[in-house]
Amino acid sequence: MTMVADRRTALLEAADRVVQRERPAASMNVIAAEAGITKPILYRHFGDKGGLYRALAARHIDELLIRLRAALATRGGLEARTRATIDAYLSAIEDRPQVYRFLMQRASLEEPDVRGEVEGFVRRFGDELAVGIEAEPALTGIEHQQALIWAHGIAGMVQAAGDWWLDQEGVPRADVVDQLTALLFGQFSG
């Protein structure tokens, strides 16, 4: 890594700490102070507030995609892969709930490019999930369009359930994973 890349990583880590501590009220002044620099220096690295938000979003989206791709490769059949993928998503937002809320709520509202990053992530994940659905040995005769519809529906469902779950006290992640997996495996239809 170059010195500039190292510095940028350190600044993003400072921003993460502030967002975890300050929640959506995190400000550029507090982030700069956490990093031991002035706000103009922070802007020099990211251009503006939107640049910092986009860099934070990209960092967390990349980490989440790595987790989700690993879960999609879980052995043990379709149900095991489904459970692992749902758990990977919920685990990621549970690990950094304030960063998740910051990116999904404040940053996405204030900066259209961040909203685009988040929407792009959900779309990319849906597309990758569709490839997995088409290749799934337990599912036969799945057409490309059908796989895309299912995949994007599943991605949206898990995201919406995760958003709801973060606001629920005392609901274990395992229960949410179990119920979403059960829903996908037909328990809703009886």
Side-chain angles (χ1 to χ4, degrees), residues 28-105:
M28 297 297 279
N29 286 330
V30 175
I31 292 169
E34 178 78 16
I37 60 172
T38 63
K39 195 161 86 171
I41 292 172
L42 185 61
Y43 283 129
R44 189 177 318 142
H45 284 275
F46 296 100
D48 60 10
K49 177 173 61 172
L52 175 63
Y53 290 177
R54 283 189 303 279
L56 271 175
R59 175 186 175 136
H60 289 284
I61 286 169
D62 290 346
E63 289 174 10
L64 182 53
L65 276 172
I66 289 167
R67 287 173 122 169
L68 292 171
R69 286 176 184 142
L72 285 170
T74 298
R75 295 182 184 265
L78 179 58
E79 189 169 347
R81 272 187 290 290
T82 301
R83 180 177 301 284
T85 304
I86 293 169
D87 190 53
Y89 182 85
L90 295 177
S91 174
I93 66 175
E94 183 179 46
D95 289 348
R96 292 188 181 120
Q98 302 311 337
V99 172
Y100 180 82
R101 285 184 179 110
F102 179 81
L103 292 172
M104 297 298 283
Q105 296 168 3

Side-chain angles (χ1 to χ4, degrees), residues 90-151:
L90 295 177
S91 174
I93 66 175
E94 183 179 46
D95 289 348
R96 292 188 181 120
Q98 302 311 337
V99 172
Y100 180 82
R101 285 184 179 110
F102 179 81
L103 292 172
M104 297 298 283
Q105 296 168 3
R106 179 176 170 196
S108 290
L109 292 174
E110 289 181 13
E111 297 293 332
D113 289 346
V114 174
R115 183 174 36 254
E117 288 268 342
V118 171
E119 290 168 358
F121 155 73
V122 173
R123 184 165 300 240
R124 279 190 330 213
F125 178 63
D127 290 344
E128 288 186 31
L129 185 56
V131 170
I133 288 171
E134 285 181 277
E136 176 58 51
L139 302 172
T140 56
I142 303 297
E143 295 179 15
H144 183 66
Q145 181 176 339
Q146 182 181 19
L148 284 168
I149 293 168
W150 285 5

